Amino acid sequence: MRAFVITGPGAAAVQDVGEPVAGPGDVVVAVERAGVCGTDAEFYSGHMTYLHTGQAAYPVRIGHEWCGTVASVGVGVDPGWVGKRVTGDTMLGCGHCARCLGGRQHLCADRFEIGIRNGFPGALAQLMAVPVRSLFVLPDSVDATLGALVEPGANALRAVRAADLAPGQRVLVAGPGTIGLLAAMIAEAQGAEVHLLGEHGSDRVWTADDLPDLRWDAVIDASTGTGVPARAVDLVEPGGRVVFIGIAAHPSPVDSRALVLKDVTATGVLSGSGGLAGTIKLYASGAVDPRPLVAATVGLADAATVLSGQRLPGWGTGPKIHIDPRE
């Protein structure tokens, strides 16, 4: 089969690789659509932290935002899965440690991360093997574009849940990338007054220079700015909530004294685990439709162009690019 393989910083190609076989408890998925994000771009550039901590190594087969159809199943898996349209969790815990048994497999010390951690092959390929326990069935109302937006949407949903907003409360979302815009959409669908700190995507968009002096009941930091976390704590209303989901390339310190003296609740969000089912429901109901965020859908041959940050003529302005591995 064809797969996109990153072999080193700035070096990648579509290669012919062996087809996966479904092991016990696994299924093989025919991938229909896969998204790429900043993490994937960091693998391509060589800046991804896991490359320097030993949790990842070249060659890397990326792709953790995906949807497809179950093509075959392994031993112990109900054959009824074959033909089902699915997406799945990126985080694959060991299944037997205290964190996994407590429903926190995304924090398992020995976890695999599809297309990211410990060499688990990702979705920029025609076929992909994954554990059946990680799967979520997609209803007919969730098309391929929405299906590949479930994983980032689940991250955003967890961030909005952590902000704990009541209808009518005001939230500032910093970082107008895919996660930030998804968080804004979800918060708005739940009745919050949403403002964006950035340059894209909403009527209430502000820059660092013209941000109004308003009461911010919660701040969601979906940016990669090193100074944004501290500013988020400074901006939030005393007793409010700050949610950190963006990751800066360099340390982004927050003064714990500011948290204490303002009685602020600060939460970090890692992954969409726990938010996947809820995101599918939001998309299926039509309450949130993030498809305009996808600027283009291209084939595997264009993946390197996407990862290098280039935009080709005819592509839209949205922050997300999707890959169709069948092309």
Side-chain angles (χ1 to χ4, degrees), residues 10 26-27 74 98 117-118 127 141 146 158 194 198 201 214 221 257-259 271 273 283 290 297 312:
D26 292 347
V27 305
R117 191 175 191 260
N118 287 338
L127 298 170
S141 55
L146 290 173
R158 288 194 64 216
V194 180
L214 297 174
D221 176 18
R257 294 171 298 181
L259 294 171
S271 91
S273 299
Y283 292 174
T297 299
L312 299 181

PDB file of all heavy atoms in Angstrom, residues 10 26-27 74 98 117-118 127 141 146 158 194 198 201 214 221 257-259 271 273 283 290 297 312:
ATOM      1  N   GLY A  10      12.670  17.611   7.119  1.00  0.00           N
ATOM      2  CA  GLY A  10      12.479  18.113   5.768  1.00  0.00           C
ATOM      3  C   GLY A  10      12.547  17.059   4.686  1.00  0.00           C
ATOM      4  O   GLY A  10      12.564  17.399   3.500  1.00  0.00           O
ATOM      5  N   ASP A  26      -7.674  -6.204  17.241  1.00  0.00           N
ATOM      6  CA  ASP A  26      -7.468  -5.073  16.335  1.00  0.00           C
ATOM      7  C   ASP A  26      -8.386  -5.149  15.123  1.00  0.00           C
ATOM      8  O   ASP A  26      -8.952  -6.200  14.803  1.00  0.00           O
ATOM      9  CB  ASP A  26      -6.021  -5.035  15.832  1.00  0.00           C
ATOM     10  CG  ASP A  26      -5.030  -4.715  16.916  1.00  0.00           C
ATOM     11  OD1 ASP A  26      -5.449  -4.275  18.002  1.00  0.00           O
ATOM     12  OD2 ASP A  26      -3.825  -4.913  16.683  1.00  0.00           O
ATOM     13  N   VAL A  27      -8.484  -4.022  14.439  1.00  0.00           N
ATOM     14  CA  VAL A  27      -9.133  -3.967  13.132  1.00  0.00           C
ATOM     15  C   VAL A  27      -8.189  -3.256  12.168  1.00  0.00           C
ATOM     16  O   VAL A  27      -7.294  -2.524  12.590  1.00  0.00           O
ATOM     17  CB  VAL A  27     -10.488  -3.212  13.171  1.00  0.00           C
ATOM     18  CG1 VAL A  27     -11.421  -3.812  14.210  1.00  0.00           C
ATOM     19  CG2 VAL A  27     -10.286  -1.718  13.415  1.00  0.00           C
ATOM     20  N   GLY A  74      -9.420  -8.665  13.525  1.00  0.00           N
ATOM     21  CA  GLY A  74      -8.559  -9.714  14.045  1.00  0.00           C
ATOM     22  C   GLY A  74      -9.310 -10.673  14.952  1.00  0.00           C
ATOM     23  O   GLY A  74     -10.520 -10.533  15.191  1.00  0.00           O
ATOM     24  N   ALA A  98      -2.905   1.573  36.534  1.00  0.00           N
ATOM     25  CA  ALA A  98      -3.927   2.276  37.312  1.00  0.00           C
ATOM     26  C   ALA A  98      -4.562   3.405  36.519  1.00  0.00           C
ATOM     27  O   ALA A  98      -5.769   3.650  36.633  1.00  0.00           O
ATOM     28  CB  ALA A  98      -3.302   2.820  38.602  1.00  0.00           C
ATOM     29  N   ARG A 117       3.718   8.707  18.848  1.00  0.00           N
ATOM     30  CA  ARG A 117       4.566   8.235  19.948  1.00  0.00           C
ATOM     31  C   ARG A 117       4.798   6.733  19.884  1.00  0.00           C
ATOM     32  O   ARG A 117       3.879   5.970  19.622  1.00  0.00           O
ATOM     33  CB  ARG A 117       3.901   8.607  21.284  1.00  0.00           C
ATOM     34  CG  ARG A 117       4.757   8.432  22.536  1.00  0.00           C
ATOM     35  CD  ARG A 117       3.969   8.977  23.728  1.00  0.00           C
ATOM     36  NE  ARG A 117       4.779   9.094  24.935  1.00  0.00           N
ATOM     37  CZ  ARG A 117       4.770   8.194  25.931  1.00  0.00           C
ATOM     38  NH1 ARG A 117       4.019   7.115  25.836  1.00  0.00           N
ATOM     39  NH2 ARG A 117       5.513   8.392  27.008  1.00  0.00           N
ATOM     40  N   ASN A 118       6.036   6.348  20.120  1.00  0.00           N
ATOM     41  CA  ASN A 118       6.450   4.945  20.224  1.00  0.00           C
ATOM     42  C   ASN A 118       6.224   4.156  18.942  1.00  0.00           C
ATOM     43  O   ASN A 118       6.004   2.945  18.969  1.00  0.00           O
ATOM     44  CB  ASN A 118       5.763   4.260  21.411  1.00  0.00           C
ATOM     45  CG  ASN A 118       6.335   4.723  22.742  1.00  0.00           C
ATOM     46  OD1 ASN A 118       7.455   5.211  22.804  1.00  0.00           O
ATOM     47  ND2 ASN A 118       5.547   4.603  23.797  1.00  0.00           N
ATOM     48  N   LEU A 127      -4.207   2.089   4.503  1.00  0.00           N
ATOM     49  CA  LEU A 127      -4.752   1.213   5.531  1.00  0.00           C
ATOM     50  C   LEU A 127      -4.032   1.474   6.849  1.00  0.00           C
ATOM     51  O   LEU A 127      -2.858   1.850   6.865  1.00  0.00           O
ATOM     52  CB  LEU A 127      -4.571  -0.255   5.143  1.00  0.00           C
ATOM     53  CG  LEU A 127      -5.267  -0.743   3.874  1.00  0.00           C
ATOM     54  CD1 LEU A 127      -4.768  -2.144   3.518  1.00  0.00           C
ATOM     55  CD2 LEU A 127      -6.782  -0.752   4.049  1.00  0.00           C
ATOM     56  N   SER A 141     -24.782  11.194   9.246  1.00  0.00           N
ATOM     57  CA  SER A 141     -24.779  12.654   9.169  1.00  0.00           C
ATOM     58  C   SER A 141     -23.394  13.262   9.386  1.00  0.00           C
ATOM     59  O   SER A 141     -23.201  14.463   9.194  1.00  0.00           O
ATOM     60  CB  SER A 141     -25.754  13.242  10.193  1.00  0.00           C
ATOM     61  OG  SER A 141     -25.446  12.772  11.506  1.00  0.00           O
ATOM     62  N   LEU A 146     -16.098  15.951   8.454  1.00  0.00           N
ATOM     63  CA  LEU A 146     -16.397  16.030   9.880  1.00  0.00           C
ATOM     64  C   LEU A 146     -15.717  14.903  10.646  1.00  0.00           C
ATOM     65  O   LEU A 146     -15.207  15.105  11.755  1.00  0.00           O
ATOM     66  CB  LEU A 146     -17.906  15.976  10.104  1.00  0.00           C
ATOM     67  CG  LEU A 146     -18.708  17.202   9.651  1.00  0.00           C
ATOM     68  CD1 LEU A 146     -20.204  16.923   9.778  1.00  0.00           C
ATOM     69  CD2 LEU A 146     -18.332  18.424  10.463  1.00  0.00           C
ATOM     70  N   ARG A 158     -13.121  19.248  25.257  1.00  0.00           N
ATOM     71  CA  ARG A 158     -12.585  19.085  26.614  1.00  0.00           C
ATOM     72  C   ARG A 158     -12.149  20.425  27.201  1.00  0.00           C
ATOM     73  O   ARG A 158     -12.318  20.678  28.402  1.00  0.00           O
ATOM     74  CB  ARG A 158     -11.411  18.109  26.616  1.00  0.00           C
ATOM     75  CG  ARG A 158     -11.817  16.646  26.408  1.00  0.00           C
ATOM     76  CD  ARG A 158     -10.658  15.724  26.751  1.00  0.00           C
ATOM     77  NE  ARG A 158     -10.311  15.832  28.155  1.00  0.00           N
ATOM     78  CZ  ARG A 158      -9.069  15.752  28.631  1.00  0.00           C
ATOM     79  NH1 ARG A 158      -8.043  15.577  27.808  1.00  0.00           N
ATOM     80  NH2 ARG A 158      -8.835  15.856  29.925  1.00  0.00           N
ATOM     81  N   VAL A 194     -18.511  34.550  23.058  1.00  0.00           N
ATOM     82  CA  VAL A 194     -17.154  34.155  22.715  1.00  0.00           C
ATOM     83  C   VAL A 194     -16.405  35.300  22.050  1.00  0.00           C
ATOM     84  O   VAL A 194     -16.922  35.951  21.136  1.00  0.00           O
ATOM     85  CB  VAL A 194     -17.159  32.933  21.773  1.00  0.00           C
ATOM     86  CG1 VAL A 194     -15.743  32.520  21.407  1.00  0.00           C
ATOM     87  CG2 VAL A 194     -17.900  31.762  22.434  1.00  0.00           C
ATOM     88  N   GLY A 198      -6.718  37.093  18.416  1.00  0.00           N
ATOM     89  CA  GLY A 198      -6.007  36.637  17.240  1.00  0.00           C
ATOM     90  C   GLY A 198      -6.432  37.425  16.023  1.00  0.00           C
ATOM     91  O   GLY A 198      -6.811  38.590  16.144  1.00  0.00           O
ATOM     92  N   GLY A 201     -11.591  34.621  12.170  1.00  0.00           N
ATOM     93  CA  GLY A 201     -12.660  33.702  12.449  1.00  0.00           C
ATOM     94  C   GLY A 201     -13.889  34.122  13.197  1.00  0.00           C
ATOM     95  O   GLY A 201     -14.768  33.312  13.390  1.00  0.00           O
ATOM     96  N   LEU A 214     -12.859  43.913  29.423  1.00  0.00           N
ATOM     97  CA  LEU A 214     -14.118  43.257  29.745  1.00  0.00           C
ATOM     98  C   LEU A 214     -13.893  42.211  30.835  1.00  0.00           C
ATOM     99  O   LEU A 214     -12.767  41.798  31.101  1.00  0.00           O
ATOM    100  CB  LEU A 214     -14.702  42.573  28.497  1.00  0.00           C
ATOM    101  CG  LEU A 214     -15.073  43.475  27.322  1.00  0.00           C
ATOM    102  CD1 LEU A 214     -15.486  42.620  26.127  1.00  0.00           C
ATOM    103  CD2 LEU A 214     -16.184  44.443  27.707  1.00  0.00           C
ATOM    104  N   ASP A 221      -6.491  29.138  26.505  1.00  0.00           N
ATOM    105  CA  ASP A 221      -5.258  29.412  25.761  1.00  0.00           C
ATOM    106  C   ASP A 221      -4.992  28.260  24.803  1.00  0.00           C
ATOM    107  O   ASP A 221      -4.503  27.199  25.196  1.00  0.00           O
ATOM    108  CB  ASP A 221      -4.089  29.605  26.710  1.00  0.00           C
ATOM    109  CG  ASP A 221      -2.773  29.796  25.959  1.00  0.00           C
ATOM    110  OD1 ASP A 221      -2.820  30.114  24.747  1.00  0.00           O
ATOM    111  OD2 ASP A 221      -1.701  29.616  26.576  1.00  0.00           O
ATOM    112  N   ARG A 257       1.574  32.786  42.297  1.00  0.00           N
ATOM    113  CA  ARG A 257       0.996  33.771  43.203  1.00  0.00           C
ATOM    114  C   ARG A 257      -0.242  34.415  42.589  1.00  0.00           C
ATOM    115  O   ARG A 257      -1.219  34.699  43.293  1.00  0.00           O
ATOM    116  CB  ARG A 257       2.036  34.842  43.554  1.00  0.00           C
ATOM    117  CG  ARG A 257       3.216  34.320  44.368  1.00  0.00           C
ATOM    118  CD  ARG A 257       4.309  35.350  44.510  1.00  0.00           C
ATOM    119  NE  ARG A 257       4.872  35.711  43.205  1.00  0.00           N
ATOM    120  CZ  ARG A 257       5.861  36.586  43.038  1.00  0.00           C
ATOM    121  NH1 ARG A 257       6.398  37.177  44.100  1.00  0.00           N
ATOM    122  NH2 ARG A 257       6.331  36.850  41.835  1.00  0.00           N
ATOM    123  N   ALA A 258      -0.207  34.623  41.274  1.00  0.00           N
ATOM    124  CA  ALA A 258      -1.372  35.208  40.604  1.00  0.00           C
ATOM    125  C   ALA A 258      -2.559  34.255  40.663  1.00  0.00           C
ATOM    126  O   ALA A 258      -3.710  34.680  40.850  1.00  0.00           O
ATOM    127  CB  ALA A 258      -1.025  35.534  39.156  1.00  0.00           C
ATOM    128  N   LEU A 259      -2.292  32.962  40.522  1.00  0.00           N
ATOM    129  CA  LEU A 259      -3.369  31.982  40.628  1.00  0.00           C
ATOM    130  C   LEU A 259      -3.987  31.991  42.027  1.00  0.00           C
ATOM    131  O   LEU A 259      -5.211  31.984  42.189  1.00  0.00           O
ATOM    132  CB  LEU A 259      -2.841  30.582  40.317  1.00  0.00           C
ATOM    133  CG  LEU A 259      -2.357  30.301  38.901  1.00  0.00           C
ATOM    134  CD1 LEU A 259      -1.674  28.937  38.840  1.00  0.00           C
ATOM    135  CD2 LEU A 259      -3.512  30.335  37.914  1.00  0.00           C
ATOM    136  N   SER A 271      -5.015  15.958  24.811  1.00  0.00           N
ATOM    137  CA  SER A 271      -5.712  15.040  23.915  1.00  0.00           C
ATOM    138  C   SER A 271      -7.223  15.188  23.966  1.00  0.00           C
ATOM    139  O   SER A 271      -7.790  15.790  24.881  1.00  0.00           O
ATOM    140  CB  SER A 271      -5.337  13.575  24.199  1.00  0.00           C
ATOM    141  OG  SER A 271      -6.202  12.977  25.139  1.00  0.00           O
ATOM    142  N   SER A 273      -9.152  12.518  24.224  1.00  0.00           N
ATOM    143  CA  SER A 273      -9.714  11.365  24.928  1.00  0.00           C
ATOM    144  C   SER A 273     -10.760  11.848  25.930  1.00  0.00           C
ATOM    145  O   SER A 273     -10.530  12.765  26.700  1.00  0.00           O
ATOM    146  CB  SER A 273      -8.608  10.602  25.661  1.00  0.00           C
ATOM    147  OG  SER A 273      -7.645  10.116  24.758  1.00  0.00           O
ATOM    148  N   TYR A 283     -21.474  17.272  16.142  1.00  0.00           N
ATOM    149  CA  TYR A 283     -21.431  17.345  14.683  1.00  0.00           C
ATOM    150  C   TYR A 283     -22.691  16.733  14.063  1.00  0.00           C
ATOM    151  O   TYR A 283     -23.274  17.282  13.122  1.00  0.00           O
ATOM    152  CB  TYR A 283     -20.202  16.607  14.149  1.00  0.00           C
ATOM    153  CG  TYR A 283     -18.858  17.227  14.463  1.00  0.00           C
ATOM    154  CD1 TYR A 283     -17.679  16.565  14.131  1.00  0.00           C
ATOM    155  CD2 TYR A 283     -18.751  18.465  15.099  1.00  0.00           C
ATOM    156  CE1 TYR A 283     -16.431  17.110  14.396  1.00  0.00           C
ATOM    157  CE2 TYR A 283     -17.503  19.012  15.385  1.00  0.00           C
ATOM    158  CZ  TYR A 283     -16.350  18.330  15.028  1.00  0.00           C
ATOM    159  OH  TYR A 283     -15.111  18.865  15.296  1.00  0.00           O
ATOM    160  N   PRO A 290     -17.876  22.499  11.665  1.00  0.00           N
ATOM    161  CA  PRO A 290     -16.559  23.089  11.442  1.00  0.00           C
ATOM    162  C   PRO A 290     -16.004  22.885  10.044  1.00  0.00           C
ATOM    163  O   PRO A 290     -14.827  23.195   9.799  1.00  0.00           O
ATOM    164  CB  PRO A 290     -15.702  22.367  12.476  1.00  0.00           C
ATOM    165  CG  PRO A 290     -16.288  20.998  12.508  1.00  0.00           C
ATOM    166  CD  PRO A 290     -17.775  21.167  12.275  1.00  0.00           C
ATOM    167  N   THR A 297      -8.680  19.601   0.477  1.00  0.00           N
ATOM    168  CA  THR A 297      -8.412  18.179   0.654  1.00  0.00           C
ATOM    169  C   THR A 297      -7.533  17.742  -0.510  1.00  0.00           C
ATOM    170  O   THR A 297      -7.905  17.918  -1.677  1.00  0.00           O
ATOM    171  CB  THR A 297      -9.706  17.355   0.674  1.00  0.00           C
ATOM    172  OG1 THR A 297     -10.516  17.787   1.774  1.00  0.00           O
ATOM    173  CG2 THR A 297      -9.398  15.870   0.832  1.00  0.00           C
ATOM    174  N   LEU A 312      -1.158  26.287  -1.803  1.00  0.00           N
ATOM    175  CA  LEU A 312      -1.224  26.319  -3.256  1.00  0.00           C
ATOM    176  C   LEU A 312      -2.408  27.150  -3.736  1.00  0.00           C
ATOM    177  O   LEU A 312      -3.408  27.307  -3.018  1.00  0.00           O
ATOM    178  CB  LEU A 312      -1.327  24.898  -3.803  1.00  0.00           C
ATOM    179  CG  LEU A 312      -0.158  23.959  -3.481  1.00  0.00           C
ATOM    180  CD1 LEU A 312      -0.388  22.598  -4.121  1.00  0.00           C
ATOM    181  CD2 LEU A 312       1.163  24.561  -3.947  1.00  0.00           C
TER     182      LEU A 312
END
